[in-house]
Amino acid sequence: MLTIDAVHLREINMPLAFPFETSFGITTTRRILLVEIESDGLTAWGECVAGEHPYFSEESVDTAWIVTEQELAPRLVGQDLVGGGGCPALFRQVRGNRMAKAALENAVWDLEAQKKRVSLADMLGGTRSVIPCGVSIGIQPSPAALMEKIAEELEAGYQRIKLKCKPGWDTEIFDQVRKRWPNIRLSCDANSAYRVVDIDHIAEWDRFDLMMIEQPLWYDDFYFHSMLQKRLDTPICLDESIRNRRDALAAIDMDSCRIINIKLGRVGGFSEAVAVHNAAGERGVPVWCGGMLETGIGRAHNIALSSLPNFSLPGDVSASRRYWIEDIIEPEVTVSREGEIAVPEGIGSGYTVLRDRIEALTVRRQTVRAAARVMA
Ligand code: OSB
Ligand code: MG
């Protein structure tokens, strides 16, 4: 049994090494909510992947902070838990807020692995010793800048290039990239930038032989994606639309997508991520692990998740240096010349969290402890 003695919340501010532009905006500095849980002298960390603004999902750093402090942490402290798998039941009364829930649940899984003295990957049922890596390349100031970026990432060994796109940064760009690199594994991600009137336009992309087109339509849609998939040979991959296992089942059954991007934060933590992974696997739908510009803490959890068998496509989980001048874990996440990350075999996440560095980046903090329980 695990008893959670305290939950520490903190917000850190960390500048990105390179600005990241998507169809919903540019991020240059990240505000990040980290949680640290204490149990019996052990400590484990979780990262909330909510952005500064509620643009990718309804959650933001500030909503996640309030929900964690006022609703989730109080439900967790003082509880005796079997492990991370016990969190969804504890949090069930609170609707949505999956990124806030995931930060805590993932920390509890990490703690459970530490207590059992096994690696997080092993505890989750991971089977891979290395994971295949791709990169997500933001919208660039110019096509020339993009071409240079792609050349660099291919040189580094990455196995798949994903291009962020939006109306005005799509067909022309894909055309230029394909002319220069006819055979690389290429995909695109629109983060919901298109509408039904764009279906004919998107259908032209079949000629670029993309591995997938990620979340072209509304963030909460299945039906129109299914309509679009009927017009495409290229698989659609859903990201934003998949919140849980039931969504995955509905999307697969409706043929709204043929590939699923799993993000721990988007689905509410390891329990639901594994459930989505299993549901997709049983139906022959491959998955890969998405990214949310995480620090090493979230990245380490993504690596453990990616070790599961149906994570058969290169994910967006890449080297620390693509995001940060200095990461907050040790060792940093590195990618081999073959475009792979080695899954750590050490206990827990297998990385050391650099508390001093985190301390220096912290701009606010709060602790939630168990109220002393009166024994009858
Ligand atoms: O849609 O996958 C996305 C970053 C922020 C929000 C949404 C997305 C992304 C990425 C970056 O694509 C993935 C990464 O490199 O972490
Ligand atoms: Mg995406």
Side-chain angles (χ1 to χ4, degrees):
M1 279 289 183
L2 301 169
T3 309
I4 311 301
D5 303 320
V7 173
H8 305 281
L9 294 76
R10 59 169 95 211
E11 179 184 332
I12 60 169
N13 288 1
M14 247 172 118
L16 281 169
F18 306 96
F20 191 81
E21 180 170 354
T22 67
S23 62
F24 52 74
I26 306 185
T27 308
T28 51
T29 290
R30 296 232 38 227
R31 290 178 56 202
I32 301 166
L33 165 58
L34 297 178
V35 297
E36 183 186 10
I37 57 174
E38 253 185 78
S39 166
D40 223 358
L42 289 176
T43 178
W45 294 79
E47 176 169 345
C48 176
V49 300
E52 178 168 2
H53 303 282
Y55 297 167
F56 174 83
S57 79
E58 293 89 339
E59 292 179 84
S60 70
V61 180
D62 295 306
T63 69
W65 183 287
I66 290 174
V67 168
T68 303
E69 182 187 349
Q70 298 184 2
E71 301 287 344
L72 303 176
R75 282 174 168 79
L76 192 59
V77 292
Q79 289 290 333
D80 294 322
L81 282 168
V82 183
C87 288
L90 275 182
F91 297 157
R92 187 148 48 215
Q93 191 176 25
V94 177
R95 293 189 179 172
N97 295 283
R98 292 180 301 280
M99 292 174 175
K101 290 174 179 173
L104 287 174
E105 184 186 323
N106 297 348
V108 177
W109 281 88
D110 197 314
L111 189 78
E112 182 186 352
Q114 291 182 44
K115 282 239 157 138
K116 292 181 173 157
R117 304 194 63 76
V118 297
S119 74
L120 185 52
D122 278 350
M123 205 178 61
L124 291 166
T127 55
R128 297 171 190 278
S129 57
V130 295
I131 62 166
C133 305
V135 287
S136 171
I137 302 184
I139 293 166
Q140 299 295 312
S142 69
L146 175 66
M147 302 298 266
E148 199 171 309
K149 200 80 167 173
I150 296 172
E152 254 173 56
E153 305 294 14
L154 292 171
E155 185 61 29
Y158 287 104
Q159 300 182 20
R160 181 225 63 198
I161 302 289
K162 159 172 141 183
L163 305 176
K164 288 291 186 181
C165 66
K166 65 178 183 183
W169 185 268
D170 51 18
T171 313
E172 286 279 290
I173 297 296
F174 305 151
D175 199 40
Q176 285 191 40
V177 173
R178 264 298 178 231
K179 283 208 171 97
R180 176 141 168 214
W181 292 284
N183 298 317
I184 59 168
R185 291 208 267 178
L186 189 66
S187 71
C188 69
D189 183 0
N191 289 111
S192 309
Y194 298 91
R195 295 294 173 258
V196 168
V197 291
D198 303 312
I199 284 185
D200 287 338
H201 175 69
I202 296 171
E204 289 174 27
W205 302 347
D206 270 341
R207 70 185 157 97
F208 299 121
D209 190 27
L210 303 175
M211 282 181 82
M212 69 196 89
I213 298 171
E214 184 175 340
Q215 199 74 38
L217 306 175
W218 295 268
Y219 70 92
D220 56 359
D221 170 77
F222 298 125
Y223 177 73
F224 292 101
H225 280 96
S226 163
M227 187 184 276
L228 174 61
Q229 183 68 81
K230 289 189 192 6
R231 293 281 311 280
L232 291 170
D233 294 327
T234 308
I236 291 176
C237 170
L238 288 179
D239 174 355
E240 285 90 326
S241 292
I242 307 293
R243 301 162 301 178
N244 50 46
R245 177 177 183 274
R246 289 177 300 98
D247 282 345
L249 295 176
I252 293 167
D253 201 51
M254 292 173 71
D255 197 24
S256 303
C257 67
R258 294 176 185 167
I259 296 175
I260 293 175
N261 165 339
I262 300 182
K263 288 178 179 167
L264 280 165
R266 202 194 62 227
V267 302
F270 278 121
S271 301
E272 199 66 29
V274 171
V276 172
H277 162 274
N278 293 346
E282 285 155 14
R283 287 157 186 81
V285 171
V287 304
W288 52 277
C289 184
M292 293 291 287
L293 312 176
E294 288 92 345
T295 72
I297 291 172
R299 197 166 300 278
H301 289 165
N302 288 342
I303 293 167
L305 180 69
S306 302
S307 71
L308 271 67
N310 192 35
F311 281 87
S312 52
L313 302 175
D316 279 348
V317 183
S318 59
S320 298
R321 54 173 301 200
R322 296 191 60 253
Y323 306 86
W324 315 110
I325 307 291
E326 289 184 314
D327 205 340
I328 57 174
I329 57 163
E330 222 173 45
E332 282 199 345
V333 175
T334 55
V335 169
S336 72
R337 303 291 311 163
E338 291 71 45
E340 293 172 335
I341 293 173
V343 178
E345 287 167 5
I347 288 167
S349 78
Y351 296 90
T352 303
V353 173
L354 300 175
R355 182 181 296 279
D356 288 350
R357 197 164 288 167
I358 292 174
E359 206 57 59
L361 299 167
T362 299
V363 297
R364 73 171 152 160
R365 64 177 80 226
Q366 177 73 47
T367 292
V368 179
R369 281 183 199 283
R373 270 192 288 184
V374 179
M375 295 298 172

